[in-house]
Amino acid sequence: MLPSLFISHGSPMLALEPGESGPALRALADALPRPEAILVVSAHWESDRLLLTGNAHPETWHDFHGFPAPLYAVQYPAPGAPERARNIARLLTDAGLPADVDPQRPFDHGAWVPLSLMYPAADIPVLQLSLPSRLGPTYQTRVGRALADLRRQGILLIGSGSITHNLGELDWRAGPEVVAPWAKAFRDWMVDRLEANDEAALHDYRRQAPDAIRNHPRDEHLLPLYFARGAGERFQSVHQGFTLGALGMDIYRFD
Protein backbone atom coordinates (compact mmCIF):
# COMPACT_ATOMS: atom_id res chain seq x y z
CA MET A 1 0.00 0.00 0.00
CA LEU A 2 1.25 3.46 -0.86
CA PRO A 3 1.98 5.96 1.91
CA SER A 4 0.63 9.47 2.10
CA LEU A 5 3.22 12.24 1.82
CA PHE A 6 3.77 15.77 3.02
CA ILE A 7 6.12 17.74 0.78
CA SER A 8 7.50 21.21 1.48
CA HIS A 9 7.61 22.57 -2.07
CA GLY A 10 9.61 25.74 -1.36
CA SER A 11 10.02 28.37 -4.06
CA PRO A 12 8.79 27.68 -7.62
CA MET A 13 12.48 27.79 -8.57
CA LEU A 14 12.75 24.32 -7.04
CA ALA A 15 11.74 23.05 -10.49
CA LEU A 16 15.00 24.42 -11.95
CA GLU A 17 17.21 24.50 -8.85
CA PRO A 18 16.24 21.38 -6.90
CA GLY A 19 19.05 21.60 -4.34
CA GLU A 20 18.92 18.80 -1.78
CA SER A 21 15.16 18.37 -2.12
CA GLY A 22 15.32 17.19 -5.73
CA PRO A 23 17.38 14.04 -5.10
CA ALA A 24 15.34 13.32 -1.94
CA LEU A 25 12.07 13.53 -3.88
CA ARG A 26 13.35 11.39 -6.73
CA ALA A 27 14.73 8.75 -4.35
CA LEU A 28 11.39 8.67 -2.54
CA ALA A 29 9.49 8.20 -5.81
CA ASP A 30 11.88 5.46 -6.91
CA ALA A 31 11.35 3.62 -3.62
CA LEU A 32 7.55 3.58 -3.96
CA PRO A 33 5.41 1.31 -6.12
CA ARG A 34 4.37 3.15 -9.27
CA PRO A 35 1.05 4.88 -8.50
CA GLU A 36 -2.06 4.36 -10.57
CA ALA A 37 -2.84 8.03 -9.98
CA ILE A 38 -1.74 10.92 -7.75
CA LEU A 39 -3.97 13.19 -5.67
CA VAL A 40 -2.45 16.46 -4.42
CA VAL A 41 -3.76 18.92 -1.84
CA SER A 42 -1.82 22.11 -2.57
CA ALA A 43 -1.55 25.20 -0.39
CA HIS A 44 -2.11 27.22 -3.56
CA TRP A 45 -5.70 26.15 -4.17
CA GLU A 46 -7.66 27.67 -1.32
CA SER A 47 -11.42 27.42 -1.52
CA ASP A 48 -14.61 27.71 0.51
CA ARG A 49 -15.52 24.05 -0.12
CA LEU A 50 -13.91 20.90 -1.42
CA LEU A 51 -13.33 20.80 -5.18
CA LEU A 52 -11.49 18.32 -7.40
CA THR A 53 -9.89 18.94 -10.76
CA GLY A 54 -12.03 17.38 -13.48
CA ASN A 55 -10.06 18.38 -16.56
CA ALA A 56 -8.83 15.50 -18.72
CA HIS A 57 -5.84 17.59 -19.85
CA PRO A 58 -5.03 20.19 -17.17
CA GLU A 59 -2.76 23.07 -18.12
CA THR A 60 0.42 23.91 -16.24
CA TRP A 61 -0.34 27.15 -14.40
CA HIS A 62 2.60 29.44 -13.65
CA ASP A 63 0.79 31.05 -10.75
CA PHE A 64 3.60 33.39 -9.67
CA HIS A 65 5.37 36.53 -10.86
CA GLY A 66 8.89 37.90 -11.09
CA PHE A 67 10.84 34.71 -11.70
CA PRO A 68 13.34 33.99 -14.52
CA ALA A 69 11.91 33.33 -17.97
CA PRO A 70 13.01 29.66 -18.15
CA LEU A 71 10.68 28.81 -15.27
CA TYR A 72 7.67 29.94 -17.30
CA ALA A 73 8.67 27.51 -20.05
CA VAL A 74 8.42 24.49 -17.74
CA GLN A 75 5.42 22.30 -18.54
CA TYR A 76 4.02 19.31 -16.69
CA PRO A 77 1.56 17.70 -19.13
CA ALA A 78 0.30 14.89 -16.90
CA PRO A 79 -3.21 13.69 -17.77
CA GLY A 80 -6.13 14.36 -15.50
CA ALA A 81 -8.60 11.75 -14.28
CA PRO A 82 -12.16 13.09 -14.53
CA GLU A 83 -13.90 9.83 -13.67
CA ARG A 84 -11.72 9.32 -10.60
CA ALA A 85 -12.46 12.90 -9.61
CA ARG A 86 -16.20 12.24 -9.72
CA ASN A 87 -15.79 9.05 -7.69
CA ILE A 88 -13.67 10.79 -5.05
CA ALA A 89 -16.16 13.66 -4.84
CA ARG A 90 -18.89 11.11 -4.10
CA LEU A 91 -16.67 9.41 -1.52
CA LEU A 92 -16.08 12.70 0.30
CA THR A 93 -19.73 13.67 0.12
CA ASP A 94 -20.79 10.31 1.54
CA ALA A 95 -18.37 10.93 4.43
CA GLY A 96 -20.15 14.18 5.27
CA LEU A 97 -17.60 16.36 3.46
CA PRO A 98 -19.49 17.79 0.46
CA ALA A 99 -17.33 17.97 -2.65
CA ASP A 100 -17.74 18.86 -6.30
CA VAL A 101 -15.67 18.82 -9.50
CA ASP A 102 -14.10 21.85 -11.19
CA PRO A 103 -13.79 21.00 -14.92
CA GLN A 104 -11.35 23.82 -15.74
CA ARG A 105 -8.85 24.13 -12.88
CA PRO A 106 -5.18 23.81 -14.04
CA PHE A 107 -2.26 22.41 -12.04
CA ASP A 108 -0.79 25.06 -9.73
CA HIS A 109 2.88 25.05 -8.81
CA GLY A 110 2.24 23.38 -5.47
CA ALA A 111 1.42 20.28 -7.52
CA TRP A 112 3.55 20.40 -10.64
CA VAL A 113 6.82 21.62 -9.10
CA PRO A 114 7.37 18.64 -6.75
CA LEU A 115 5.84 16.18 -9.23
CA SER A 116 8.25 17.35 -11.94
CA LEU A 117 11.09 16.15 -9.70
CA MET A 118 9.41 12.93 -8.56
CA TYR A 119 7.83 11.77 -11.83
CA PRO A 120 9.44 13.84 -14.61
CA ALA A 121 7.84 11.77 -17.39
CA ALA A 122 4.46 13.26 -16.41
CA ASP A 123 2.75 10.02 -17.45
CA ILE A 124 0.76 9.31 -14.27
CA PRO A 125 -2.77 10.78 -13.98
CA VAL A 126 -2.89 13.64 -11.48
CA LEU A 127 -5.79 15.21 -9.61
CA GLN A 128 -5.84 18.14 -7.24
CA LEU A 129 -8.15 18.52 -4.26
CA SER A 130 -8.75 22.05 -3.03
CA LEU A 131 -7.96 23.36 0.45
CA PRO A 132 -10.84 24.92 2.44
CA SER A 133 -8.25 26.74 4.52
CA ARG A 134 -10.65 28.60 6.78
CA LEU A 135 -11.78 25.28 8.29
CA GLY A 136 -8.41 24.55 9.89
CA PRO A 137 -6.36 21.47 10.82
CA THR A 138 -9.16 19.31 12.22
CA TYR A 139 -11.07 19.50 8.95
CA GLN A 140 -8.01 18.52 6.93
CA THR A 141 -7.46 15.54 9.21
CA ARG A 142 -11.05 14.46 8.48
CA VAL A 143 -10.48 14.83 4.73
CA GLY A 144 -7.35 12.71 4.90
CA ARG A 145 -9.10 9.99 6.88
CA ALA A 146 -12.01 9.95 4.46
CA LEU A 147 -9.61 9.27 1.58
CA ALA A 148 -7.17 6.94 3.33
CA ASP A 149 -8.44 3.83 1.53
CA LEU A 150 -7.43 5.34 -1.81
CA ARG A 151 -3.90 4.32 -0.87
CA ARG A 152 -5.01 0.69 -1.20
CA GLN A 153 -6.19 1.49 -4.73
CA GLY A 154 -2.76 2.62 -5.85
CA ILE A 155 -3.40 6.34 -5.47
CA LEU A 156 -0.56 8.37 -4.00
CA LEU A 157 -1.89 11.06 -1.65
CA ILE A 158 0.26 14.17 -1.29
CA GLY A 159 -0.12 17.27 0.85
CA SER A 160 2.05 20.01 -0.68
CA GLY A 161 2.88 23.04 1.44
CA SER A 162 5.73 24.03 3.73
CA ILE A 163 6.68 23.12 7.29
CA THR A 164 7.53 26.82 7.85
CA HIS A 165 6.31 29.66 5.65
CA ASN A 166 6.96 33.31 6.51
CA LEU A 167 8.02 34.91 3.24
CA GLY A 168 8.48 38.28 4.93
CA GLU A 169 11.37 36.99 7.04
CA LEU A 170 13.34 35.06 4.44
CA ASP A 171 17.01 35.90 3.86
CA TRP A 172 17.44 35.73 0.08
CA ARG A 173 21.25 35.70 0.45
CA ALA A 174 21.43 32.92 3.04
CA GLY A 175 23.14 29.66 2.23
CA PRO A 176 21.77 26.25 3.29
CA GLU A 177 23.83 26.34 6.48
CA VAL A 178 21.90 29.38 7.78
CA VAL A 179 18.80 28.48 9.79
CA ALA A 180 16.76 30.92 11.86
CA PRO A 181 16.47 29.55 15.44
CA TRP A 182 12.74 30.34 15.62
CA ALA A 183 12.08 28.37 12.43
CA LYS A 184 14.09 25.37 13.63
CA ALA A 185 12.36 25.39 17.02
CA PHE A 186 8.95 25.28 15.36
CA ARG A 187 9.95 22.50 12.95
CA ASP A 188 11.45 20.45 15.79
CA TRP A 189 8.27 20.85 17.86
CA MET A 190 6.15 19.66 14.95
CA VAL A 191 8.35 16.62 14.37
CA ASP A 192 8.29 15.78 18.08
CA ARG A 193 4.48 15.95 18.18
CA LEU A 194 4.18 13.93 14.96
CA GLU A 195 6.44 11.24 16.37
CA ALA A 196 4.34 11.17 19.55
CA ASN A 197 1.13 11.06 17.49
CA ASP A 198 -0.16 13.89 19.67
CA GLU A 199 -3.17 14.91 17.61
CA ALA A 200 -4.60 17.29 20.20
CA ALA A 201 -1.39 19.33 20.32
CA LEU A 202 -0.99 19.26 16.54
CA HIS A 203 -4.51 20.57 16.02
CA ASP A 204 -3.82 23.29 18.62
CA TYR A 205 -0.39 24.17 17.22
CA ARG A 206 -1.11 27.89 16.90
CA ARG A 207 -1.30 28.15 20.70
CA GLN A 208 1.17 25.46 21.71
CA ALA A 209 4.03 25.47 19.18
CA PRO A 210 6.93 27.92 19.63
CA ASP A 211 6.67 30.98 17.37
CA ALA A 212 3.72 29.41 15.55
CA ILE A 213 2.35 32.68 14.19
CA ARG A 214 5.80 33.86 13.15
CA ASN A 215 6.35 30.65 11.19
CA HIS A 216 2.85 30.65 9.71
CA PRO A 217 1.22 34.11 9.64
CA ARG A 218 -1.51 32.22 7.77
CA ASP A 219 -1.65 28.45 7.99
CA GLU A 220 -2.53 27.48 4.40
CA HIS A 221 0.97 26.06 3.84
CA LEU A 222 0.84 23.85 6.95
CA LEU A 223 -2.69 22.50 6.46
CA PRO A 224 -1.68 19.98 3.75
CA LEU A 225 0.37 18.26 6.46
CA TYR A 226 -2.84 17.45 8.32
CA PHE A 227 -4.35 15.97 5.17
CA ALA A 228 -1.32 13.70 4.73
CA ARG A 229 -1.29 12.70 8.39
CA GLY A 230 -5.03 11.99 8.36
CA ALA A 231 -4.60 9.68 5.37
CA GLY A 232 -1.75 7.72 6.95
CA GLU A 233 -0.61 6.44 10.31
CA ARG A 234 3.05 5.84 11.10
CA PHE A 235 5.14 9.01 10.73
CA GLN A 236 8.59 9.02 9.16
CA SER A 237 10.78 12.00 8.32
CA VAL A 238 12.25 11.50 4.84
CA HIS A 239 14.18 14.75 4.48
CA GLN A 240 14.84 17.80 6.63
CA GLY A 241 16.34 21.13 5.70
CA PHE A 242 15.91 24.86 5.27
CA THR A 243 16.51 27.32 2.49
CA LEU A 244 16.67 31.12 2.56
CA GLY A 245 17.25 30.97 6.31
CA ALA A 246 13.72 30.14 7.40
CA LEU A 247 11.83 28.29 4.66
CA GLY A 248 11.44 24.69 5.77
CA MET A 249 11.94 22.02 3.10
CA ASP A 250 10.99 18.91 5.08
CA ILE A 251 9.42 15.83 3.48
CA TYR A 252 7.42 13.35 5.57
CA ARG A 253 5.65 10.08 4.86
CA PHE A 254 2.83 8.35 6.68
CA ASP A 255 2.53 4.58 6.26
Side-chain angles (χ1 to χ4, degrees):
M1 185 168 65
L2 287 163
S4 55
L5 306 177
F6 172 69
I7 296 172
S8 297
H9 60 246
S11 159
M13 284 299 292
L14 186 71
L16 299 182
E17 299 173 357
E20 295 179 356
S21 293
L25 286 169
R26 189 55 194 267
L28 175 58
D30 289 345
L32 298 176
R34 178 180 168 85
E36 296 291 325
I38 301 169
L39 174 66
V40 182
V41 172
S42 164
H44 294 280
W45 188 9
E46 295 183 75
S47 62
D48 293 327
R49 59 194 177 96
L50 290 169
L51 296 167
L52 287 128
T53 52
N55 193 331
H57 303 285
E59 295 182 359
T60 303
W61 185 17
H62 300 86
D63 54 324
F64 41 76
H65 303 282
F67 287 88
L71 185 58
Y72 297 92
V74 176
Q75 296 291 313
Y76 193 75
E83 185 59 32
R84 285 188 189 272
R86 289 188 286 271
N87 291 339
I88 293 170
R90 285 193 290 269
L91 179 62
L92 287 165
T93 300
D94 290 346
L97 301 162
D100 207 343
V101 174
D102 182 335
Q104 297 183 336
R105 174 79 184 187
F107 295 144
D108 64 58
H109 78 271
W112 65 260
V113 166
L115 291 180
S116 70
L117 300 173
M118 296 179 73
Y119 300 104
D123 57 354
I124 299 172
V126 175
L127 304 96
Q128 282 195 238
L129 174 63
S130 71
L131 180 72
S133 53
R134 292 186 300 174
L135 300 181
T138 302
Y139 187 83
Q140 282 305 305
T141 299
R142 288 182 61 200
V143 173
R145 287 184 177 146
L147 299 184
D149 280 350
L150 295 179
R151 296 166 49 215
R152 301 182 186 276
Q153 302 173 29
I155 300 178
L156 180 62
L157 303 180
I158 297 176
S160 176
S162 187
I163 192 62
T164 63
H165 192 262
N166 186 337
L167 301 186
E169 294 210 39
L170 299 185
D171 181 351
W172 295 89
R173 297 170 295 179
E177 74 284 354
V178 177
V179 180
W182 51 269
K184 183 178 184 301
F186 177 85
R187 190 278 309 278
D188 290 349
W189 184 91
M190 291 295 297
V191 169
D192 179 69
R193 293 301 84 206
L194 287 164
E195 289 177 340
N197 199 27
D198 188 346
E199 184 168 284
L202 289 164
H203 284 174
D204 193 34
Y205 87 94
R206 290 185 85 76
R207 290 198 308 162
Q208 296 191 32
D211 289 304
I213 309 304
R214 188 176 187 182
N215 279 279
H216 288 279
R218 296 183 64 247
D219 63 357
E220 81 289 344
H221 270 74
L222 191 64
L223 291 177
L225 169 63
Y226 294 90
F227 166 75
R229 179 183 172 274
E233 296 177 7
R234 188 175 67 254
F235 165 77
Q236 180 183 346
S237 178
V238 174
H239 172 73
Q240 293 187 352
F242 286 88
T243 186
L244 306 177
L247 186 61
M249 298 300 295
D250 286 20
I251 303 167
Y252 307 145
R253 64 182 285 171
F254 298 87
D255 289 281

